[in-house]
Amino acid sequence: MVVTVDVKLGESVLDGLNESQKEAAATLNGPVLVVAGPGTGKTLTIVRRIAALIEEGIRAENIVAVTFTNRAAREMQERVFALLGKRSEGVFIGTLHLLGLVIARENAPDGLTIVNRDEQMDILKSVARGRGGKIEEVADAISRKKGMIQDLGDGMKDVYEAYQSALRKNGRADFDDLIAIPIGLLEDAILLDGYRDRFRHIIVDEFQDINPAQYKLLTLLSGDQQNLCAVGDPDQAIYAFRGADVGCFLDFERDFAKTTRIILTENYRSSGTILEGSSTMIRHNRRRVDKNVHTAREGGNRIKIVSVPDERAEGEFIVGEIEARIGGTSHFRLMGSRHDTGFPRASYGFSDFAVVYRTNAQARMVEDAFASSGIPYQVIGRYSTGKRREMADILSRLRCFGAVIDGVTPLRSLPAKDFIEWALRESDLNDEGGGETRKAITGLLEAVGAGGTAADFLNEVCLLTPADDFDPRADAVVLMTIHMTKGLEFGVVFVTGAEDGLMPYRRPGKQGDVEEERRLLYVAMTRAKEELFLIHARRRSMFGKREHRSPSPFLKEIGDEFTKVHVVPDRETRQRKNGQMKLF
Ligand code: ATP
Ligand code: MG
């Protein structure tokens, strides 16, 4: 392929990229759409594109890179810093919600405070009292309206108005407002021009999961220059319930007629077997455009489809497989040489393993198995124990001095550090447990920075998402839902609950979207670099009932040539066999 790039860049920032990646990183002007499969280096290319922009003399302040999670933003910041050092300071790298918050706050003279989910529910309960129906459904409807996904239903308008005025009265905003408020503000032409002038180059990762309101904000900001680079994979759209869909790629090419479309086809992440097996499966989706992704790593271990008796055996199986691969002369090395995997690995660390599941409810049994094995692990996205819960607790204690939130401006503009000192003094947090609390808020204080105010601190807490529980530096096996795995990669991935009813997931009385469920499994499978296990239990407790289960229909779609079936027999059978062996 002949690649024409419109600039001459020093080789260093494009070093090691393939030709199409170079084109994506170096086509700096006009709309660019990078559509590419998993592991093709989309995120890597964005890092290089930021570096290329700076090399070209674009000021750091004029560059915006939008990531899907705060965690992804932090990683990208570190990688850009590693390439450019201080020259990268001033580039905005963060979620679109953070960008929205920046815009909203710059135009809110009295400050703006985000409410967290608990507080949002409290407000909704007070304004929707006596209305009947679930409060979560009301919250959902409001979220869909603000995301421009769906208009409000009948009888919702009054609740909506009451909710909005309760929020606004005290300078508060909910999460979706962080997109909705800036869109409203940018109706002002002078303001809009100012932001267009400032955010001259915008890059968006995981574009497939952008909702209509977010898309609108991006297009508004990109203005006439249209230096908007959208990067994503329609096969990995997993938030359709939030309104994201493959349609956003079609919209992009319609709305930006001069789009340069770049396709990356080489997968650097997964073995040939994993890549081909997952591609074969995703081709069963009707609503998609086929991408011809190939890999430099031919062959590799077959994808293991494992049948276990129940969810307890599932956890035990995983622990056993990890133990076999950890530590010096591992069983894996023997297997590796026997099967000639092409992945010479002396040994794995714990963080090379991920256990993923469709629903949070599945975590418990796996966790029990890990707890009794002594293998270090981290569970991501569980509100009851995660960092967000801890922070929410701290906040709710701080907020006992409700004035902080409810419109006392002097407190909001206190330096964050002073605010926390004050709040700790005023509360009982200096007593037992206070030390722990102090430790927990130190990290967030750092994130707010030296110049941060109390409001910045509170907002920082509210911007935490489930994915932010992930600590990439911990040497621990990661347990998480498939939704949390976006953008990540691991040596070995265990997908649990590969059963009909979980994949595709069916709630009682609700029809799911089979194509989206297939995309979810696709995302899970394509996180794996070297080995992939798809595990299904023959019995499991679901919705309080003990059930017989059958394998996910998606498993048959992978193709026999890429898979190997392994059956773990029932406990009774195993015991009987062991008993007989002892007899002889
Ligand atoms: P996903 O769709 O899952 O987000 P992605 O397209 O963003 O995937 P990356 O995470 O950027 O892919 O890259 C996947 C892996 O491939 C990373 O480990 C990355 O370092 C590696 N990689 C990407 N491009 C190259 C390259 N040109 N040479 C060597 N390794 C590469
Ligand atoms: Mg990526």
Coordinates of all heavy atoms in Angstrom, one line a residue, residues 302-383:
R302 N -4.6 -24.2 21.3 CA -6.0 -24.1 21.0 C -6.8 -23.4 22.1 O -6.3 -23.5 23.3 CB -6.5 -25.5 20.8 CG -6.0 -26.1 19.5 CD -6.9 -27.2 19.1 NE -6.5 -27.7 17.8 CZ -7.3 -28.4 17.0 NH1 -8.6 -28.7 17.4 NH2 -6.9 -28.8 15.9
I303 N -7.9 -22.8 21.8 CA -8.8 -22.3 22.8 C -9.4 -23.4 23.6 O -9.9 -24.3 23.0 CB -9.9 -21.4 22.1 CG1 -9.3 -20.3 21.3 CG2 -10.9 -20.9 23.1 CD1 -10.2 -19.6 20.4
K304 N -9.3 -23.4 24.9 CA -9.9 -24.5 25.6 C -11.3 -24.3 26.1 O -11.6 -23.3 26.8 CB -9.0 -24.8 26.8 CG -7.7 -25.5 26.4 CD -6.7 -25.7 27.5 CE -5.3 -25.7 26.8 NZ -4.8 -24.4 26.5
I305 N -12.2 -25.2 25.7 CA -13.5 -25.1 26.1 C -13.7 -26.1 27.2 O -13.5 -27.3 27.0 CB -14.5 -25.4 24.9 CG1 -14.4 -24.3 23.9 CG2 -15.9 -25.5 25.5 CD1 -15.3 -24.4 22.7
V306 N -14.0 -25.6 28.4 CA -13.9 -26.5 29.6 C -15.3 -26.6 30.2 O -16.0 -25.7 30.5 CB -12.9 -25.9 30.6 CG1 -12.8 -26.9 31.8 CG2 -11.6 -25.6 30.0
S307 N -15.7 -27.9 30.4 CA -17.0 -28.2 31.1 C -16.7 -28.6 32.5 O -15.9 -29.5 32.7 CB -17.7 -29.3 30.3 OG -18.8 -29.8 31.1
V308 N -17.3 -27.9 33.4 CA -17.1 -28.2 34.9 C -18.4 -28.5 35.5 O -19.5 -28.0 35.0 CB -16.4 -27.0 35.6 CG1 -15.0 -26.8 35.1 CG2 -17.2 -25.8 35.6
P309 N -18.4 -29.3 36.6 CA -19.7 -29.6 37.2 C -20.5 -28.5 37.7 O -21.7 -28.4 37.5 CB -19.4 -30.6 38.4 CG -17.9 -30.8 38.3 CD -17.3 -29.9 37.3
D310 N -19.9 -27.5 38.4 CA -20.7 -26.4 38.9 C -19.8 -25.2 39.2 O -18.6 -25.2 38.8 CB -21.3 -26.8 40.3 CG -20.3 -27.4 41.2 OD1 -19.1 -27.0 41.2 OD2 -20.7 -28.2 42.1
E311 N -20.3 -24.1 39.7 CA -19.5 -22.9 39.8 C -18.3 -23.0 40.8 O -17.3 -22.3 40.7 CB -20.4 -21.7 40.2 CG -21.2 -21.8 41.5 CD -22.6 -22.3 41.2 OE1 -22.7 -23.4 40.8 OE2 -23.6 -21.5 41.6
R312 N -18.5 -24.0 41.8 CA -17.4 -24.1 42.7 C -16.2 -24.8 42.0 O -15.0 -24.3 42.1 CB -17.8 -25.0 43.9 CG -16.9 -24.8 45.1 CD -17.4 -25.5 46.3 NE -16.7 -26.8 46.4 CZ -17.2 -27.8 47.2 NH1 -18.4 -27.7 47.7 NH2 -16.6 -28.9 47.3
A313 N -16.5 -25.8 41.2 CA -15.5 -26.5 40.4 C -14.8 -25.5 39.4 O -13.6 -25.6 39.1 CB -16.1 -27.7 39.7
E314 N -15.6 -24.5 38.9 CA -15.1 -23.5 38.0 C -13.9 -22.8 38.7 O -12.8 -22.6 38.1 CB -16.2 -22.6 37.6 CG -15.9 -21.6 36.5 CD -17.2 -20.8 36.2 OE1 -17.8 -20.2 37.1 OE2 -17.6 -20.8 35.0
G315 N -14.2 -22.3 39.9 CA -13.1 -21.6 40.6 C -11.9 -22.4 40.9 O -10.8 -22.0 40.7
E316 N -12.2 -23.7 41.3 CA -11.1 -24.6 41.6 C -10.2 -24.9 40.3 O -9.0 -24.9 40.4 CB -11.6 -25.9 42.2 CG -12.2 -25.7 43.6 CD -13.0 -26.9 44.0 OE1 -13.2 -27.9 43.2 OE2 -13.5 -26.9 45.2
F317 N -10.9 -25.0 39.2 CA -10.2 -25.3 38.0 C -9.3 -24.2 37.6 O -8.1 -24.4 37.3 CB -11.2 -25.5 36.8 CG -10.6 -25.7 35.5 CD1 -10.1 -26.9 35.1 CD2 -10.4 -24.6 34.6 CE1 -9.4 -27.0 33.8 CE2 -9.8 -24.7 33.4 CZ -9.3 -25.9 33.0
I318 N -9.8 -22.9 37.7 CA -9.0 -21.8 37.4 C -7.7 -21.7 38.3 O -6.6 -21.5 37.8 CB -9.8 -20.5 37.5 CG1 -10.9 -20.5 36.4 CG2 -9.0 -19.2 37.3 CD1 -12.0 -19.4 36.6
V319 N -8.0 -21.8 39.6 CA -6.9 -21.8 40.5 C -5.8 -22.8 40.2 O -4.6 -22.5 40.1 CB -7.4 -22.0 42.0 CG1 -6.2 -22.3 42.9 CG2 -8.1 -20.7 42.5
G320 N -6.3 -24.0 39.8 CA -5.3 -25.1 39.5 C -4.5 -24.7 38.3 O -3.3 -24.9 38.2
E321 N -5.2 -24.2 37.2 CA -4.4 -23.8 36.0 C -3.4 -22.7 36.3 O -2.3 -22.7 35.7 CB -5.4 -23.4 34.9 CG -6.3 -24.5 34.4 CD -5.6 -25.6 33.7 OE1 -4.7 -25.3 32.9 OE2 -5.9 -26.8 33.9
I322 N -3.8 -21.8 37.1 CA -2.9 -20.7 37.4 C -1.7 -21.2 38.2 O -0.5 -20.9 37.9 CB -3.6 -19.5 38.2 CG1 -4.6 -18.8 37.3 CG2 -2.5 -18.5 38.7 CD1 -5.4 -17.8 37.9
E323 N -2.0 -22.0 39.2 CA -0.8 -22.6 40.0 C 0.1 -23.3 39.1 O 1.3 -23.3 39.3 CB -1.4 -23.5 41.1 CG -1.9 -22.7 42.3 CD -2.7 -23.6 43.3 OE1 -3.0 -24.7 43.0 OE2 -2.9 -23.1 44.4
A324 N -0.4 -24.0 38.1 CA 0.4 -24.8 37.2 C 1.4 -23.9 36.4 O 2.4 -24.4 35.9 CB -0.4 -25.7 36.3
R325 N 0.9 -22.7 36.2 CA 1.7 -21.8 35.3 C 2.6 -20.8 36.1 O 3.4 -20.0 35.5 CB 0.8 -21.0 34.4 CG 0.3 -21.8 33.3 CD -0.9 -21.1 32.7 NE -1.5 -22.0 31.6 CZ -2.2 -23.1 31.8 NH1 -2.4 -23.5 33.1 NH2 -2.6 -23.8 30.8
I326 N 2.5 -20.8 37.4 CA 3.2 -19.9 38.2 C 4.4 -20.6 38.8 O 4.4 -21.7 39.2 CB 2.3 -19.3 39.4 CG1 1.4 -18.3 38.8 CG2 3.2 -18.7 40.5 CD1 2.0 -16.9 38.5
G327 N 5.5 -19.8 38.8 CA 6.7 -20.4 39.5 C 7.6 -21.2 38.5 O 7.1 -21.9 37.6
G328 N 8.9 -21.1 38.7 CA 10.0 -21.6 37.9 C 9.7 -22.7 36.9 O 9.2 -22.4 35.8
T329 N 9.9 -23.9 37.3 CA 9.8 -25.0 36.3 C 8.3 -25.4 36.1 O 7.9 -26.4 36.6 CB 10.5 -26.3 36.8 OG1 10.0 -26.6 38.1 CG2 12.0 -26.0 36.9
S330 N 7.6 -24.6 35.4 CA 6.2 -24.8 35.4 C 5.8 -25.8 34.4 O 6.4 -26.1 33.5 CB 5.5 -23.4 35.1 OG 5.8 -23.2 33.7
H331 N 4.7 -26.4 34.8 CA 3.9 -27.3 34.0 C 3.7 -26.7 32.6 O 3.8 -27.3 31.6 CB 2.6 -27.6 34.7 CG 1.5 -28.0 33.9 ND1 1.4 -29.3 33.5 CD2 0.4 -27.4 33.4 CE1 0.2 -29.4 32.8 NE2 -0.4 -28.3 32.8
F332 N 3.5 -25.4 32.6 CA 3.3 -24.7 31.3 C 4.5 -24.8 30.4 O 4.4 -25.0 29.2 CB 3.0 -23.2 31.6 CG 2.9 -22.4 30.3 CD1 1.8 -22.6 29.4 CD2 3.8 -21.4 30.0 CE1 1.7 -21.9 28.3 CE2 3.7 -20.7 28.8 CZ 2.7 -21.0 27.9
R333 N 5.7 -24.7 31.0 CA 6.8 -24.7 30.1 C 6.9 -26.1 29.4 O 7.2 -26.2 28.3 CB 8.1 -24.5 30.9 CG 9.1 -23.8 30.1 CD 10.5 -23.7 30.7 NE 10.5 -22.9 31.8 CZ 11.6 -22.9 32.6 NH1 12.7 -23.5 32.2 NH2 11.6 -22.1 33.7
L334 N 6.6 -27.1 30.2 CA 6.5 -28.5 29.6 C 5.5 -28.5 28.5 O 5.8 -28.9 27.4 CB 6.2 -29.5 30.6 CG 7.2 -29.7 31.8 CD1 6.7 -30.6 32.8 CD2 8.5 -30.2 31.2
M335 N 4.3 -28.0 28.8 CA 3.3 -28.0 27.8 C 3.7 -27.2 26.6 O 3.5 -27.6 25.4 CB 2.0 -27.4 28.3 CG 1.1 -28.3 29.0 SD -0.3 -27.6 29.7 CE -0.9 -26.5 28.4
G336 N 4.3 -26.1 26.9 CA 4.8 -25.2 25.8 C 5.7 -25.9 24.8 O 5.5 -25.8 23.6
S337 N 6.6 -26.6 25.3 CA 7.6 -27.2 24.4 C 6.9 -28.4 23.7 O 7.1 -28.6 22.5 CB 8.8 -27.8 25.2 OG 8.3 -28.7 26.2
R338 N 5.9 -29.0 24.4 CA 5.2 -30.1 23.7 C 4.4 -29.6 22.5 O 4.4 -30.2 21.5 CB 4.4 -30.9 24.7 CG 4.1 -32.3 24.3 CD 3.4 -33.1 25.4 NE 2.2 -32.5 25.9 CZ 1.9 -32.4 27.1 NH1 2.7 -32.8 28.1 NH2 0.8 -31.8 27.5
H339 N 3.7 -28.5 22.8 CA 2.8 -28.1 21.7 C 3.4 -27.0 20.8 O 2.8 -26.5 19.9 CB 1.5 -27.5 22.4 CG 0.7 -28.5 23.2 ND1 0.3 -29.6 22.6 CD2 0.4 -28.5 24.5 CE1 -0.4 -30.3 23.5 NE2 -0.3 -29.7 24.7
D340 N 4.6 -26.7 21.1 CA 5.3 -25.6 20.4 C 4.4 -24.4 20.2 O 4.0 -24.1 19.0 CB 5.7 -26.2 19.0 CG 6.7 -25.2 18.3 OD1 7.2 -24.3 19.0 OD2 6.8 -25.3 17.1
T341 N 4.1 -23.8 21.2 CA 3.1 -22.7 21.2 C 3.7 -21.5 20.4 O 2.9 -20.6 20.0 CB 2.8 -22.2 22.6 OG1 4.0 -21.8 23.2 CG2 2.1 -23.2 23.4
G342 N 5.0 -21.4 20.3 CA 5.5 -20.2 19.7 C 5.5 -19.0 20.7 O 5.8 -17.9 20.4
F343 N 5.2 -19.3 21.9 CA 5.2 -18.2 23.0 C 6.2 -18.7 24.1 O 5.7 -19.1 25.1 CB 3.9 -18.0 23.6 CG 2.9 -17.5 22.6 CD1 1.9 -18.3 22.1 CD2 3.0 -16.2 22.0 CE1 1.0 -17.9 21.2 CE2 2.1 -15.8 21.1 CZ 1.1 -16.6 20.7
P344 N 7.5 -18.6 23.9 CA 8.4 -19.1 24.9 C 8.2 -18.2 26.1 O 8.6 -17.0 26.1 CB 9.7 -18.9 24.3 CG 9.6 -18.0 23.2 CD 8.2 -17.9 22.8
R345 N 7.7 -18.7 27.2 CA 7.5 -17.9 28.4 C 8.1 -18.7 29.5 O 7.7 -19.8 29.8 CB 6.0 -17.7 28.7 CG 5.4 -16.5 28.1 CD 5.2 -15.5 29.1 NE 4.4 -14.4 28.6 CZ 3.7 -13.6 29.3 NH1 3.7 -13.7 30.6 NH2 3.0 -12.7 28.7
A346 N 9.1 -18.1 30.2 CA 9.7 -18.9 31.3 C 8.6 -19.0 32.4 O 8.4 -20.1 32.9 CB 10.9 -18.1 31.8
S347 N 8.0 -17.9 32.7 CA 7.0 -18.0 33.8 C 6.1 -16.8 33.7 O 6.4 -15.8 33.1 CB 7.6 -18.1 35.2 OG 8.3 -16.9 35.4
Y348 N 4.9 -17.0 34.3 CA 4.0 -15.9 34.4 C 4.0 -15.2 35.8 O 4.3 -15.8 36.8 CB 2.6 -16.4 34.2 CG 2.2 -16.7 32.7 CD1 2.1 -18.1 32.3 CD2 1.9 -15.7 31.8 CE1 1.8 -18.4 31.0 CE2 1.6 -16.0 30.5 CZ 1.5 -17.4 30.1 OH 1.2 -17.6 28.8
G349 N 3.6 -14.0 35.8 CA 3.3 -13.3 37.1 C 1.8 -13.3 37.3 O 1.1 -13.6 36.3
F350 N 1.3 -13.1 38.5 CA -0.1 -13.2 38.7 C -0.9 -12.2 37.9 O -2.0 -12.4 37.5 CB -0.4 -12.9 40.2 CG 0.1 -14.0 41.1 CD1 1.1 -13.8 42.0 CD2 -0.5 -15.3 41.0 CE1 1.6 -14.8 42.8 CE2 0.0 -16.3 41.8 CZ 1.0 -16.1 42.7
S351 N -0.3 -11.0 37.6 CA -1.0 -10.0 36.8 C -1.2 -10.4 35.3 O -1.8 -9.6 34.6 CB -0.4 -8.7 37.0 OG 1.0 -8.7 36.5
D352 N -0.6 -11.5 34.9 CA -0.8 -11.9 33.5 C -2.1 -12.7 33.4 O -2.4 -13.1 32.2 CB 0.4 -12.9 33.1 CG 1.7 -12.1 33.0 OD1 1.6 -11.0 32.4 OD2 2.7 -12.6 33.5
F353 N -2.8 -12.9 34.5 CA -4.1 -13.7 34.4 C -5.3 -12.8 34.7 O -5.3 -12.0 35.6 CB -4.1 -14.8 35.4 CG -2.9 -15.8 35.3 CD1 -1.7 -15.6 36.0 CD2 -3.1 -16.9 34.5 CE1 -0.7 -16.5 35.8 CE2 -2.0 -17.8 34.3 CZ -0.8 -17.6 35.0
A354 N -6.3 -13.0 33.9 CA -7.6 -12.4 34.2 C -8.7 -13.4 34.2 O -8.7 -14.3 33.4 CB -7.9 -11.3 33.1
V355 N -9.6 -13.2 35.1 CA -10.9 -14.0 35.1 C -12.0 -13.1 34.8 O -12.2 -12.1 35.5 CB -11.1 -14.7 36.5 CG1 -12.3 -15.5 36.5 CG2 -9.8 -15.5 36.9
V356 N -12.8 -13.3 33.8 CA -13.8 -12.4 33.4 C -15.2 -13.1 33.4 O -15.3 -14.3 33.2 CB -13.6 -11.7 32.1 CG1 -12.2 -11.1 32.1 CG2 -13.7 -12.7 30.9
Y357 N -16.2 -12.3 33.7 CA -17.6 -12.9 33.7 C -18.6 -11.9 33.2 O -18.3 -10.7 33.1 CB -17.9 -13.3 35.2 CG -17.3 -12.5 36.2 CD1 -17.8 -11.3 36.6 CD2 -16.1 -12.9 36.8 CE1 -17.1 -10.5 37.5 CE2 -15.4 -12.1 37.8 CZ -16.0 -10.9 38.1 OH -15.3 -10.1 39.1
R358 N -19.8 -12.4 32.9 CA -20.8 -11.5 32.3 C -21.4 -10.6 33.4 O -21.8 -9.5 33.2 CB -21.8 -12.4 31.6 CG -23.0 -11.6 31.0 CD -22.5 -10.7 29.8 NE -23.6 -10.0 29.3 CZ -24.1 -8.8 29.8 NH1 -23.6 -8.3 30.9 NH2 -25.1 -8.2 29.2
T359 N -21.7 -11.2 34.6 CA -22.4 -10.5 35.6 C -21.6 -10.5 36.9 O -20.9 -11.5 37.2 CB -23.7 -11.1 36.0 OG1 -23.5 -12.4 36.5 CG2 -24.6 -11.3 34.7
N360 N -21.7 -9.4 37.7 CA -20.9 -9.3 39.0 C -21.3 -10.5 39.9 O -20.4 -10.9 40.7 CB -21.3 -8.0 39.6 CG -20.2 -7.0 39.2 OD1 -19.0 -7.2 39.2 ND2 -20.7 -5.8 38.8
A361 N -22.5 -11.0 39.8 CA -22.9 -12.0 40.8 C -22.0 -13.3 40.7 O -21.9 -14.0 41.6 CB -24.4 -12.4 40.5
Q362 N -21.4 -13.5 39.5 CA -20.6 -14.6 39.3 C -19.2 -14.6 40.1 O -18.5 -15.6 40.2 CB -20.3 -14.9 37.8 CG -21.5 -15.2 37.0 CD -21.2 -15.0 35.5 OE1 -21.7 -14.1 34.9 NE2 -20.4 -15.9 35.0
A363 N -18.9 -13.4 40.6 CA -17.5 -13.2 41.1 C -17.3 -14.0 42.4 O -16.3 -14.6 42.7 CB -17.3 -11.7 41.4
R364 N -18.4 -14.1 43.2 CA -18.3 -14.7 44.5 C -17.6 -16.0 44.6 O -16.6 -16.2 45.3 CB -19.7 -14.7 45.2 CG -19.7 -15.3 46.6 CD -18.9 -14.5 47.6 NE -19.4 -13.1 47.7 CZ -18.7 -12.1 48.2 NH1 -17.5 -12.3 48.6 NH2 -19.2 -10.9 48.3
M365 N -18.1 -17.0 43.8 CA -17.5 -18.3 43.9 C -16.1 -18.4 43.4 O -15.2 -19.1 44.0 CB -18.3 -19.3 43.1 CG -19.7 -19.6 43.7 SD -19.6 -20.2 45.4 CE -19.5 -21.9 45.2
V366 N -15.8 -17.6 42.4 CA -14.4 -17.6 41.9 C -13.5 -17.0 43.0 O -12.4 -17.5 43.3 CB -14.3 -16.7 40.7 CG1 -12.8 -16.7 40.2 CG2 -15.2 -17.2 39.6
E367 N -14.0 -16.0 43.7 CA -13.2 -15.3 44.7 C -13.0 -16.3 45.9 O -11.9 -16.3 46.4 CB -14.1 -14.1 45.2 CG -13.3 -13.0 45.6 CD -14.1 -11.9 46.1 OE1 -15.3 -11.7 45.7 OE2 -13.6 -11.2 47.0
D368 N -14.0 -17.0 46.2 CA -13.8 -18.0 47.3 C -12.6 -18.9 47.0 O -11.8 -19.2 47.9 CB -15.1 -18.8 47.5 CG -16.1 -18.0 48.3 OD1 -15.8 -16.9 48.7 OD2 -17.3 -18.5 48.3
A369 N -12.6 -19.4 45.8 CA -11.5 -20.3 45.4 C -10.2 -19.6 45.5 O -9.2 -20.2 46.0 CB -11.7 -20.8 44.0
F370 N -10.1 -18.4 45.1 CA -8.8 -17.6 45.2 C -8.4 -17.4 46.6 O -7.3 -17.6 47.0 CB -8.9 -16.3 44.5 CG -8.6 -16.4 43.0 CD1 -9.7 -16.4 42.1 CD2 -7.3 -16.5 42.5 CE1 -9.4 -16.6 40.7 CE2 -7.1 -16.7 41.2 CZ -8.1 -16.7 40.3
A371 N -9.4 -17.0 47.4 CA -9.2 -16.7 48.9 C -8.5 -18.0 49.6 O -7.6 -17.8 50.3 CB -10.4 -16.3 49.6
S372 N -9.1 -19.1 49.3 CA -8.5 -20.3 50.0 C -7.2 -20.8 49.4 O -6.5 -21.5 50.0 CB -9.6 -21.4 50.1 OG -10.2 -21.7 48.9
S373 N -6.9 -20.4 48.1 CA -5.7 -20.8 47.5 C -4.5 -19.9 47.9 O -3.3 -20.3 47.8 CB -5.8 -20.7 46.0 OG -5.7 -19.4 45.6
G374 N -4.7 -18.7 48.4 CA -3.7 -17.8 48.7 C -3.1 -17.0 47.5 O -2.2 -16.2 47.6
I375 N -3.7 -17.2 46.3 CA -3.3 -16.5 45.2 C -3.8 -15.0 45.3 O -4.9 -14.8 45.6 CB -3.9 -17.1 43.9 CG1 -3.2 -18.5 43.6 CG2 -3.6 -16.2 42.7 CD1 -3.7 -19.2 42.4
P376 N -2.9 -14.0 45.1 CA -3.3 -12.7 45.2 C -4.3 -12.3 44.1 O -4.0 -12.7 42.9 CB -2.0 -11.8 45.2 CG -1.1 -12.7 44.5 CD -1.4 -14.1 44.8
Y377 N -5.3 -11.5 44.4 CA -6.3 -11.2 43.3 C -6.9 -9.8 43.6 O -6.9 -9.4 44.8 CB -7.4 -12.2 43.2 CG -8.3 -12.3 44.4 CD1 -9.5 -11.6 44.5 CD2 -8.0 -13.1 45.5 CE1 -10.3 -11.7 45.6 CE2 -8.8 -13.2 46.6 CZ -10.0 -12.5 46.6 OH -10.8 -12.6 47.7
Q378 N -7.4 -9.1 42.6 CA -8.1 -7.9 42.8 C -9.5 -8.0 42.1 O -9.5 -8.4 40.9 CB -7.3 -6.7 42.4 CG -6.7 -6.7 41.0 CD -6.0 -5.4 40.6 OE1 -6.4 -4.3 41.1 NE2 -5.0 -5.5 39.8
V379 N -10.5 -7.7 42.7 CA -11.9 -7.6 42.1 C -12.2 -6.2 41.7 O -12.1 -5.3 42.5 CB -13.0 -8.1 43.1 CG1 -14.3 -8.2 42.3 CG2 -12.6 -9.5 43.6
I380 N -12.5 -6.0 40.4 CA -12.7 -4.7 39.9 C -14.2 -4.4 39.8 O -14.9 -5.2 39.3 CB -12.0 -4.5 38.6 CG1 -10.5 -4.6 38.9 CG2 -12.3 -3.2 38.0 CD1 -9.7 -4.8 37.6
G381 N -14.6 -3.2 40.2 CA -16.0 -2.7 39.8 C -17.0 -3.2 40.8 O -18.2 -3.0 40.5
R382 N -16.6 -3.7 42.0 CA -17.7 -4.0 42.9 C -17.9 -2.9 43.9 O -17.0 -2.6 44.7 CB -17.4 -5.3 43.6 CG -18.6 -5.9 44.3 CD -18.4 -7.2 44.8 NE -17.1 -7.3 45.5 CZ -16.4 -8.4 45.7 NH1 -16.9 -9.5 45.2 NH2 -15.3 -8.4 46.4
Y383 N -19.0 -2.3 43.8 CA -19.2 -1.0 44.6 C -19.1 -1.2 46.1 O -18.6 -0.4 46.8 CB -20.6 -0.5 44.2 CG -20.8 0.9 44.7 CD1 -19.9 1.9 44.3 CD2 -21.9 1.3 45.5 CE1 -20.1 3.2 44.7 CE2 -22.0 2.6 45.9 CZ -21.2 3.5 45.6 OH -21.3 4.8 46.0

